[in-house]
C-alpha cells in the first residue's frame, strides 16, 4: 500500500494561484483530510492528485512513482485511484449492481463470474444487498452515497480520493455517514485524501488533517494536535471556538494586556514582543470565592470579571465575561448547573497550559 507525497505543488488559473507550493505527505494506509474555507484550493489539489489537471510546478508521487509534474501527467485511468464526488455521479439508468460493476469497466482481466462475485461482496460490505436491483432514483441520499463508495472500492484502488462526499446529505445522516466512512477506512486501510470544509467531519474521519489556506498547508496534525496546539490565529479560529488575546511578553512565560497578566504554556517568548494567545472557552473555569485558595495553590491564573451575557444552551452555559482592568472579553463555556446574572462579578481560573501562544509569522 503506497503513500502520497506532494512537493511544491502549484496550479494557477490566470492570476489566481489555486494551489501554491503545497507540500503534503500521506503515509501508507492513512486517511488525511484537506480542510479549509471555500476557495483555499482543496478541490484543485484533489483534481491534481487524480490527474485531471496538470501542475505548473511541483510533483505528486505515489510510492516510488512520479505521477504528476509540469512535464508529465499520468492519465487518471492509469493511476490506480478512485474518486468519489459530491454529486455521487451515479448512472440513473443503471441498477445499483450495474453502477458498481461499471467501476470495473477497465478491469478487462476479470471474468464475468469474478465481476459478479466482487460486486456481491462489496454490496454486502456497504449493506446494500437488498437494493442491488433498484435504480438510484429509488434510493435515499445515504444509500446513493453508499453506492458511490461501493463503486470506488470495488476496483480495489491504491488511493481513494473523496471530494465533500457527505455535503448533499441532511445533518443527521451526515453525522452517521462520518462513522461509516471511518469504519470502511479501518476495514480497507486504503490511503485516502478527503476534502471537506467541515471541521467536525474532518475530526471524526481523519488520521491527520491538513489545514489549507490560500493554496498552502498551514498546519498538519491529528485533530488533537490542531485543537490543542494551533500554531496560528487562523488554525485556532478554524478548528473549534477560541478566545484570542493580543498582548506583550513582559517576562519569560508571561503575557500582559492592560491589567491582565497571564502565565502561559511556553516560556519560549521574546520579552518585549507582541504575542497572541489562544484560550479555549471550555478551559476557563468559573470559581466560587471559597475555591480561590485551591486554584491559586495549583498555579492557575486568576482573573476577576463581570458577566456581560450568559446564555443557557442545555448542555452548557455560554458566557461573555469582561475582564477587570482591561479591554479583554472572554467567552467561557460553563457547566449548565451554574446560573449567572448580567452584571454579576465572577472569578475565573485559567491554567497556564491553557494559554497557547500563537506563532505570529505562521499564517
Ligand atoms: P470550495 O470549498 O468552495 O469547493 P476549494 O477549497 O475546493 O473551495 P478550489 O475549487 O480548489 O477551492 O478553488 C481554489 C481557487 O481557484 C478559487 O479561487 C477558485 O475560484 C479558483 N478556481 C478553481 N477552479 C477554477 C477554474 N476552473 N477556473 C478559474 N479559477 C478556478
Amino acid at each position: 500500500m503506497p503513500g502520497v507525497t506532494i512537493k511544491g505543488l502549484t496550479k494557477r488559473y490566470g492570476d489566481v494561484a489555486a494551489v501554491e507550493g503545497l507540500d503534503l505527505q500521506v503515509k501508507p494506509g492513512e486517511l488525511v483530510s484537506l480542510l479549509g474555507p471555500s476557495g483555499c484550493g482543496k478541490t484543485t489539489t484533489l483534481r491534481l492528485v487524480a490527474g485531471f489537471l496538470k501542475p505548473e510546478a511541483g510533483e505528486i508521487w505515489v510510492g516510488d512513482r512520479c505521477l504528476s509534474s509540469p512535464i508529465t501527467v499520468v492519465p487518471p485511468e492509469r493511476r490506480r485511484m478512485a474518486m468519489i464526488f459530491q454529486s455521487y455521479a451515479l448512472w440513473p439508468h443503471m441498477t445499483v449492481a450495474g453502477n458498481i460493476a461499471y467501476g470495473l469497466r477497465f478491469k478487462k482481466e476479470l471474468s464475468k463470474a469474478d465481476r459478479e462475485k466482487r460486486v456481491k461482496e462489496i454490496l454486502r460490505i456497504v449493506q446494500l444487498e437488498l437494493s442491488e436491483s433498484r435504480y438510484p432514483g429509488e434510493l435515499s441520499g445515504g444509500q446513493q452515497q453508499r453506492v458511490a463508495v461501493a463503486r470506488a472500492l470495488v476496483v480495489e484502488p491504491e488511493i481513494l480520493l473523496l471530494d465533500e462526499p457527505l455535503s448533499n446529505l441532511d445533518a443527521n445522516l451526515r453525522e452517521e455517514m462520518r462513522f461509516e466512512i471511518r469504519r470502511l477506512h479501518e476495514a480497507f486501510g486504503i490511503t485516502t485524501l478527503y476534502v471537506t470544509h467541515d471541521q467536525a467531519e474532518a475530526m471524526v474521519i481523519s488520521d491527520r488533517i491538513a489545514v489549507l489556506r490560500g493554496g498552502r498547508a498551514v498546519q498538519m496534525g491529528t485533530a488533537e494536535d490542531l485543537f490543542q496546539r494551533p500554531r496560528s490565529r487562523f488554525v485556532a479560529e478554524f478548528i473549534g471556538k477560541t478566545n484570542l488575546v493580543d498582548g506583550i511578553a513582559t517576562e519569560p512565560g508571561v503575557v500582559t494586556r492592560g491589567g491582565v497578566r497571564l502565565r502561559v504554556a511556553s516560556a519560549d517568548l521574546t520579552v518585549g514582543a507582541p504575542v497572541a494567545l489562544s484560550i479555549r472557552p471550555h478551559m476557563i473555569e468559573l470559581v466560587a470565592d471559597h475555591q480561590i485558595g485551591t486554584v491559586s495553590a495549583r498555579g492557575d491564573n486568576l482573573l476577576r470579571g463581570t458577566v456581560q451575557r450568559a446564555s443557557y444552551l442545555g448542555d452548557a452555559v455560554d458566557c461573555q465575561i469582561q475582564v477587570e482592568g482591561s479591554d479583554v472579553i472572554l467567552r467561557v463555556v460553563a457547566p449548565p448547573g451554574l446560573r449567572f446574572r448580567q452584571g454579576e462579578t465572577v472569578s475565573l481560573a485559567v491554567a497556564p497550559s491553557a494559554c497557547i501562544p500563537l506563532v505570529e509569522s505562521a499564517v
Side-chain angles (χ1 to χ4, degrees), residues 204-217:
V204 171
I205 288 175
S206 321
D207 294 306
R208 286 189 304 154
I209 300 168
V211 182
L212 262 59
R213 185 187 194 194
R216 295 171 189 275

Side-chain angles (χ1 to χ4, degrees), residues 304-308 320-324 342-346:
R304 296 278 289 169
T306 311
V307 177
Q308 283 194 330
Q320 222 168 300
I321 314 280
Q322 166 79 60
V323 180
E324 230 171 67
Q342 207 178 341
E344 186 177 342
T345 303
V346 290

Side-chain angles (χ1 to χ4, degrees), residues 13 16-19 36-45 163-164 195 197:
Y13 293 107
V16 177
V19 177
S38 185
C40 70
K42 307 179 293 290
T43 296
T44 305
T45 303
D163 190 1
E164 305 257 11
V195 162
H197 63 270

Side-chain angles (χ1 to χ4, degrees), residues 281-299:
H282 70 280
M283 298 298 286
I284 304 173
E285 195 186 339
L286 283 147
V287 290
D289 288 348
H290 70 271
Q291 295 171 312
I292 287 177
T294 320
V295 166
S296 306
R298 70 178 187 224

Side-chain angles (χ1 to χ4, degrees), residues 33-201:
S33 286
L34 303 178
L35 174 69
S38 185
C40 70
K42 307 179 293 290
T43 296
T44 305
T45 303
L46 210 66
R47 294 175 65 80
L48 284 158
V49 175
F52 297 133
L53 298 172
K54 184 174 175 177
E56 266 87 51
E59 293 176 349
I60 300 169
W61 289 72
V62 170
D64 57 5
R65 294 189 299 153
C66 178
L67 298 187
S68 290
S69 76
I71 45 173
T72 169
V73 174
V74 173
E77 66 277 10
R78 294 202 0 241
R79 294 197 164 210
R80 299 178 214 151
M81 293 182 183
M83 187 153 172
I84 301 176
F85 300 91
Q86 191 172 340
S87 61
Y88 316 144
L90 302 179
W91 294 108
H93 62 286
M94 286 186 190
T95 61
V96 166
N99 266 284
I100 297 173
Y102 184 77
L104 295 170
R105 67 196 179 284
F106 294 118
K107 299 260 179 192
K108 303 283 184 242
E109 71 282 10
L110 289 180
S111 69
K112 187 162 179 285
D114 281 342
R115 279 164 199 267
E116 284 171 4
K117 194 165 150 239
R118 273 216 208 174
V119 170
K120 284 248 178 295
E121 173 63 9
I122 207 83
L123 278 165
R124 186 185 59 73
I125 290 166
V126 298
Q127 295 158 2
L128 279 175
E129 301 103 307
L130 301 177
S131 304
E132 64 172 315
S133 310
R134 286 161 74 183
Y135 289 88
E138 300 168 330
L139 302 175
S140 69
Q143 288 168 327
Q144 291 182 33
Q145 177 58 44
R146 280 168 209 263
V147 179
V149 170
R151 187 179 56 189
L153 292 176
V154 78
V155 298
E156 297 177 354
E158 277 183 353
I159 311 291
L160 194 56
L161 306 174
L162 298 100
D163 190 1
E164 305 257 11
L166 306 184
S167 56
N168 283 336
L169 305 177
D170 69 45
N172 285 340
L173 191 55
R174 206 156 60 215
E175 271 194 31
E176 204 180 297
M177 288 300 288
R178 288 175 190 164
F179 297 115
E180 179 68 8
I181 290 194
R182 187 65 217 174
R183 177 182 77 82
L184 288 170
H185 179 69
E186 275 160 22
F188 286 83
I190 300 171
T191 308
T192 302
L193 262 174
Y194 187 103
V195 162
T196 180
H197 63 270
D198 181 328
Q199 52 121 341
E201 190 172 303

